[in-house]
Amino acid sequence: VIGIHSYHQNTFDAKFQQLMTDFSEGLRLVCQMTEDQNLMRLHRTALEKTANAIMITDKYGKIEWVNDAFVKLTLFQSTDVLGKKPELLNSNTKESKAYIKEMWQTIKSGNAWSGELVNRRKDGNFISVYQTVTPLADDLGNITHYISVNEDVTEKNENLKRIAFMATHDELTSLPNRTLLDDRLNQAIAHAKRQQIMMAVLFIDIDHFKYINDSLGHQVGDALLKTLASRLHAVLREEDTIARFGGDEFVIILHNVESESFV
């Protein structure tokens, strides 16, 4: 009796253990699938909601997917671009064409590419983007897709240009300031010496400008300065320079003048 009992117990244990093993493996696979699905859902949500514009193309460059930020940045709806190539965003500037050629050479070789491009939005306006394009490959190393991440740097570039401009120009009249005037004057003198030609420097101010400010206010005085600067600039040649020296004072540099003009 004891022997029979032991046999049935061992048989039950073996079957039970196998059953539990199979159940555990099945549960692990289910958990793994659920985890993979959750991870894929997380990745997709992250791509959809990220602040940067993202575009995914197939290996031939045809657009397969764009996120909400892409639509907001370019004004193209997903239905406008799916199945088409990114060339519809090209600004066709000389710089952009060179960048795009370099980009395709890089990513087709399997390497990521980064650079700044000028793109055209659906409304025709231009935007500057910093773009990173990464090729995606399968297990055999064959490129299957390209993912493009675009950061809008239009405002940043405009701010940098504005800062650079204000470093050398007068804030009120937008004319060159003393810093740029010194540089232009040195260049004009050097050029006149090399070419053995005459140049002229004119110093101009406004009579009784203080009275205008005191009696009519600084707002009227500023308007007068801007009007005078605009009119003086309009009658000069392109190669000449007019700068605001300070207050109501202006300096004009005239290139290649004849002495008889000032008799």
Side-chain angles (χ1 to χ4, degrees):
V1 176
I2 295 175
I4 295 174
H5 173 75
S6 297
Y7 172 77
H8 285 293
Q9 182 66 40
N10 291 337
T11 301
F12 174 77
D13 287 346
K15 290 183 177 180
F16 181 76
Q17 289 175 5
Q18 184 61 46
L19 180 63
M20 291 304 296
T21 299
D22 293 343
F23 178 77
S24 298
E25 179 63 19
L27 184 61
R28 186 189 69 79
L29 291 175
V30 171
C31 291
Q32 182 65 48
M33 291 176 61
T34 302
E35 183 179 344
D36 290 344
Q37 290 175 352
N38 290 337
L39 188 59
M40 291 176 62
R41 190 177 299 110
L42 175 62
H43 288 171
R44 184 176 181 86
T45 301
L47 289 174
E48 287 176 344
K49 301 304 179 183
T50 187
N52 290 334
I54 297 178
M55 171 178 60
I56 298 177
T57 73
D58 64 13
K59 63 181 179 181
Y60 303 109
K62 290 185 178 180
I63 300 172
E64 291 189 348
W65 183 86
V66 295
N67 67 347
D68 293 341
F70 176 92
V71 174
K72 182 179 180 181
L73 175 64
T74 67
L75 301 183
F76 284 101
Q77 299 297 318
S78 59
T79 52
D80 295 328
V81 299
L82 293 183
K84 298 179 181 178
K85 292 191 174 183
E87 279 78 358
L88 82 166
L89 299 172
N90 288 358
S91 62
N92 292 322
T93 62
K94 183 178 179 180
E95 293 78 10
S96 290
K97 288 180 179 179
Y99 268 124
I100 291 171
K101 182 179 179 180
E102 177 192 341
M103 177 194 71
W104 278 111
Q105 290 175 343
T106 301
I107 62 178
K108 282 185 176 181
S109 66
N111 298 309
W113 179 90
S114 295
E116 191 170 308
L117 291 171
V118 176
N119 283 341
R120 187 192 301 272
R121 302 200 311 174
K122 188 176 181 179
D123 62 3
N125 291 323
F126 294 117
I127 51 173
S128 298
V129 297
Y130 186 81
Q131 184 179 66
T132 299
V133 184
T134 305
L136 304 179
D138 58 21
D139 294 338
L140 298 177
N142 299 314
I143 296 175
T144 61
H145 294 83
Y146 299 102
I147 180 168
S148 171
V149 181
N150 302 271
E151 179 187 1
D152 184 5
V153 294
T154 306
E155 185 176 353
K156 174 184 175 183
N157 287 351
E158 289 299 323
N159 288 336
L160 290 175
K161 289 179 182 178
R162 191 176 299 109
I163 292 172
F165 182 83
M166 296 310 299
T168 56
H169 289 77
D170 175 59
E171 184 175 1
L172 177 65
T173 63
S174 297
L175 294 178
N177 60 16
R178 287 192 182 192
T179 301
L180 187 54
L181 172 64
D182 289 343
D183 182 64
R184 296 273 180 89
L185 184 57
N186 290 331
Q187 290 185 36
I189 293 173
H191 178 74
K193 286 182 177 180
R194 285 194 308 269
Q195 300 297 324
Q196 294 295 300
I197 56 178
M198 294 186 63
M199 58 166 290
V201 178
L202 285 65
F203 188 88
I204 301 172
D205 67 355
I206 302 175
D207 289 341
H208 310 297
F209 183 71
K210 185 177 182 303
Y211 175 76
I212 295 174
N213 271 339
D214 292 344
S215 60
L216 301 177
H218 289 277
Q219 186 174 0
V220 174
D222 288 347
L224 175 61
L225 290 172
K226 291 171 67 175
T227 300
L228 178 61
S230 177
R231 291 185 179 182
L232 289 173
H233 184 269
V235 298
L236 294 178
R237 299 168 300 179
E238 185 177 350
E239 64 267 27
D240 298 328
T241 295
I242 176 173
R244 186 183 179 195
F245 195 71
D248 65 328
E249 300 169 337
F250 297 87
V251 173
I252 296 177
I253 302 172
L254 299 175
H255 294 267
N256 193 18
V257 298
E258 297 292 338
S259 59
E260 289 80 3
S261 302
F262 299 95
V263 176

